[in-house]
Amino acid sequence: MAKSNRCDVLLSAEACKANLMAVGDALYAIGGKWKLRIIVALKTGSKRFNELQRSIEGISAKALAAELKDLELNGFVHRRVFTGTPVIVSYALTEYAGTLGDVLDALSAWGMMHRETIKKGMRKK
């Protein structure tokens, strides 16, 4: 027999649908390969574009630019332009991005646990 999921057991159909929609909204805002990595990289303070790209292994300039635009539109990142010679653009987290603190901590802890679980499984083989 298939194991029941949380929606089947604990929530009404309406509450389950609302829960799934909320998770979908969250994944839309912070999902994907790079968004959370960018947020984590900016936790130490504002960075210029190239600094940010160097701190996130494997991200292309095109992908970084697109993700920064999305993060700015969703209120997680603030883009500051300093006019002068040369023009300097830096990116920093907004206060709103701080609301992801518990989510990031939980994901980090789970990621470490998962990595160890996979390593242990590979050692047994």
Side-chain angles (χ1 to χ4, degrees):
M1 187 167 120
K3 187 177 179 182
S4 296
N5 66 28
R6 183 181 168 116
C7 286
D8 291 342
V9 176
L10 300 175
L11 302 175
S12 68
E14 202 171 291
C16 184
K17 186 175 180 179
N19 192 23
L20 289 171
M21 190 175 351
V23 169
D25 291 344
L27 288 175
Y28 176 80
I30 60 172
K33 185 175 181 179
W34 303 112
K35 285 186 179 100
L36 288 177
R37 294 175 192 196
I38 293 167
I39 290 169
V40 169
L42 288 172
K43 282 179 77 172
T44 58
S46 66
K47 288 183 171 57
R48 291 168 54 184
F49 187 89
N50 287 334
E51 287 178 290
L52 196 51
Q53 187 178 9
R54 281 191 297 270
S55 69
I56 303 169
E57 190 175 318
I59 192 168
S60 69
K62 184 177 179 179
L64 179 57
E67 296 291 10
L68 284 167
K69 283 181 186 177
D70 280 351
L71 288 168
E72 190 176 7
L73 286 172
N74 282 294
F76 297 113
V77 171
H78 177 69
R79 180 178 186 263
R80 291 180 60 191
V81 179
F82 299 95
T83 57
T85 307
V87 173
I88 297 173
V89 179
S90 72
Y91 298 88
L93 293 179
T94 62
E95 195 174 311
Y96 181 61
T99 63
L100 291 171
D102 291 341
V103 172
L104 293 173
D105 291 345
L107 267 173
S108 177
W110 186 87
M112 287 182 217
M113 180 273 309
H114 179 66
R115 180 178 295 267
E116 287 304 312
T117 301
I118 297 300
K119 283 181 182 178
K120 285 177 186 174
M122 291 175 78
R123 284 186 210 131
K124 289 180 182 177
K125 290 182 180 182

